[in-house]
Amino acid sequence: MGDPSSSTSWSSQKETEDDRMIALMLSEEYTKLDGAVGRRLSNLAPVPHVPRINTYIPNLNDATLDHQRLLQRLNVYGLCELKVSGDGNCQFRALSDQLYRSSEYHKQVRREVVKQLKDNRSMYESYVPMKYKRYYKRMAKLGEWGDHITLQAAADNFAAKICLLTSFRDTCFIEIIPQYQAPKREIWLSFWSEVHYNSLYDIQAAPDQQKPKRKHWLF
């Protein structure tokens, strides 16, 4: 009789390979720069990005004010969010939606970002205030919040300019540029600062969406 664990492992590997193939096919459809969101924000000067881990989570009052500020900015620039679940994977879900037009490939995105971190230690280690192996192993866990280092790794891995419309009082717009190659695409995210990421669209081109499950205490 065959080992049932081997069968389960093979099935899981097959599903992962199928997901990777589907994601690759979808990605190829969206490699051209859309530009619609960028045109709306063309008058904003981006702030240089500094990779860092998450160190501060705002209290409820500050988070509420930040969220109101972000909503005002979205309204001013004619943008809207495709909201993703607040389950600890929101950064990877938002990246997945921008890359593949579905947030459901967030596990694949996380794996690729962690591989980028693992294989290119010299590019990121100086930003990590802990043992580097411990950091990327922690980041590999489903539900672990992405940070500004994983955003840089995503920009590098996907050859993408990642643009954040933020709720920071003094920093409206942040650009994250690939370190050693020219960007081949743009990724637009909203960033409710240190709380939540969503995928960002021109309001006239926003896709239909189902309401995400609310799993975080702030939303």
Side-chain angles (χ1 to χ4, degrees):
M1 182 178 293
D3 183 355
S5 64
S6 297
S7 176
T8 302
S9 176
W10 181 88
S11 177
S12 177
Q13 182 179 359
K14 180 68 166 56
E15 290 177 0
T16 299
E17 290 175 353
D18 289 345
D19 282 351
R20 186 179 294 114
M21 181 61 67
I22 294 170
L24 179 61
M25 292 170 63
L26 287 171
S27 177
E28 289 174 350
E29 294 183 23
Y30 298 108
T31 52
K32 293 183 179 179
L33 299 181
D34 178 32
V37 179
R39 285 192 293 272
R40 289 188 177 272
L41 299 178
S42 60
N43 63 324
L44 289 179
V47 173
H49 175 250
V50 179
R52 57 182 172 81
I53 65 169
N54 297 325
T55 56
Y56 168 72
I57 305 299
N59 60 42
L60 182 58
N61 184 59
D62 288 344
T64 301
L65 292 174
D66 283 349
H67 194 224
Q68 291 173 350
R69 186 181 302 115
L70 178 59
L71 293 177
Q72 290 170 354
R73 288 173 177 171
L74 292 170
N75 184 59
V76 166
Y77 293 106
L79 304 173
C80 70
E81 298 170 304
L82 188 142
K83 296 180 180 179
V84 301
S85 295
D87 58 357
N89 303 300
C90 64
Q91 183 188 107
F92 301 99
R93 285 184 179 277
L95 288 168
S96 173
D97 180 74
Q98 286 282 301
L99 289 164
Y100 309 125
R101 295 305 188 261
S102 170
S103 67
E104 295 306 309
Y105 294 103
H106 65 95
K107 294 179 183 178
Q108 171 68 16
V109 173
R110 184 186 288 271
R111 282 193 294 268
E112 293 195 40
V113 168
V114 170
K115 187 176 187 302
Q116 174 73 20
L117 292 168
K118 183 178 179 180
D119 293 348
N120 299 277
R121 180 172 185 153
S122 62
M123 293 170 63
Y124 312 105
E125 186 173 19
S126 63
Y127 302 112
V128 178
M130 64 181 72
K131 289 187 176 180
Y132 190 73
K133 186 175 182 179
R134 176 187 166 200
Y135 169 75
Y136 71 70
K137 281 184 171 290
R138 188 186 74 182
M139 200 54 68
K141 296 178 180 178
L142 198 63
E144 182 68 30
W145 287 22
D147 56 28
H148 294 264
I149 301 172
T150 55
L151 282 175
Q152 183 63 62
D156 295 331
N157 182 76
F158 296 108
K161 178 170 71 173
I162 300 178
C163 307
L164 301 182
L165 184 70
T166 85
S167 66
F168 288 127
R169 183 182 295 107
D170 301 322
T171 306
C172 178
F173 179 35
I174 298 173
E175 274 188 356
I176 304 156
I177 306 294
Q179 297 182 74
Y180 297 111
Q181 58 185 317
K184 298 177 181 177
R185 67 179 79 190
E186 290 181 359
I187 289 175
W188 286 88
L189 308 179
S190 65
F191 181 37
W192 180 6
S193 302
E194 314 308 341
V195 175
H196 190 64
Y197 293 86
N198 279 316
S199 182
L200 199 58
Y201 289 89
D202 184 305
I203 198 167
Q204 296 179 347
D208 294 331
Q209 67 172 341
Q210 293 182 341
K211 190 174 183 180
K213 296 178 181 178
R214 294 191 172 193
K215 295 185 179 180
H216 194 280
W217 65 278
L218 279 173
F219 51 91

